[in-house]
Amino acid sequence: MANMKSERTNTNSDGTAYTWEAIKEVQSLIERCMQHYMTQTEIIATLQVQAEVEPALTCLVWQKLEEQNPNYFMSYQACLRLKDQIVAFNYLVEQQTRLLQKLTVSLPNNAQLNNNTTELQQQQQQALQQQQIQQLQQQQQQQSNAPTSTT
């Protein structure tokens, strides 16, 4: 791509000249990669392997795009972090599912586990209800002990 001929060129910091056509093509490829939420490193590697674009050219175009659109790139980085969190979350959910399946298969008596879980939930609910009743009683007692104003 860097050897395309045109009247207009842009020079990299190392003195390499790139045509505007090559720059526009790389910009288009970068934008397509960004639609797939690829990181800068992934984009550089992808363009080098699939489109035979020099990494220096990809970095130059990326840098210029970032300078011209700082807010967009800030949002894009946030999207990449969110994507990473989603991937990590999905991995953890998958691991939990596998562990629960192993646990379910290895338990000799699933009915007993279900009964124990139900009993524990009922005990927790009763304890919560008792706390709420105590709080209400305390509030009523405080209200009855509060001084009343006489007119």
Side-chain angles (χ1 to χ4, degrees):
M1 289 213 145
N3 56 9
M4 295 175 69
K5 295 190 178 186
S6 175
E7 294 176 18
R8 301 175 68 190
T9 60
N10 192 356
T11 305
N12 196 3
S13 60
D14 66 358
T16 307
Y18 300 108
T19 64
W20 283 109
E21 290 138 3
I23 291 170
K24 287 293 185 186
E25 178 65 22
V26 171
Q27 178 181 346
S28 174
L29 292 171
I30 288 172
E31 289 169 355
R32 285 176 49 197
C33 289
M34 290 177 83
Q35 291 174 352
H36 297 281
Y37 297 102
M38 297 171 73
T39 65
Q40 182 181 9
T41 305
E42 292 170 330
I43 291 172
I44 291 168
T46 299
L47 295 186
Q48 183 179 17
V49 171
Q50 294 182 8
E52 298 179 3
V53 176
E54 297 173 20
L57 177 56
T58 305
C59 288
L60 173 69
V61 174
W62 183 281
Q63 177 186 354
K64 295 299 180 186
L65 287 170
E66 202 167 18
E67 287 171 7
Q68 294 170 1
N69 306 288
N71 292 336
Y72 174 80
F73 277 85
M74 226 167 50
S75 296
Y76 185 72
Q77 291 301 323
C79 287
L80 290 179
R81 285 191 302 275
L82 179 61
K83 176 190 144 193
D84 288 344
Q85 290 174 352
I86 290 170
V87 168
F89 177 78
N90 287 340
Y91 172 78
L92 292 172
V93 168
E94 182 181 320
Q95 293 302 311
Q96 182 184 19
T97 302
R98 287 182 184 162
L99 288 172
L100 287 174
Q101 287 172 346
K102 284 181 183 179
L103 181 65
T104 303
V105 169
S106 66
L107 287 176
N109 189 354
N110 260 347
Q112 182 63 34
L113 176 65
N114 288 338
N115 287 339
N116 291 342
T117 303
T118 303
E119 283 180 34
L120 180 61
Q121 289 172 339
Q122 288 174 349
Q123 290 172 357
Q124 289 173 339
Q125 188 175 13
Q126 287 173 351
L128 182 61
Q129 287 173 347
Q130 287 176 351
Q131 280 182 329
Q132 290 172 340
I133 290 170
Q134 288 174 352
Q135 288 173 348
L136 285 172
Q137 288 173 344
Q138 288 174 352
Q139 287 174 353
Q140 288 175 348
Q141 188 177 15
Q142 287 172 351
Q143 288 174 352
S144 66
N145 291 341
T148 55
S149 62
T150 58
T151 51

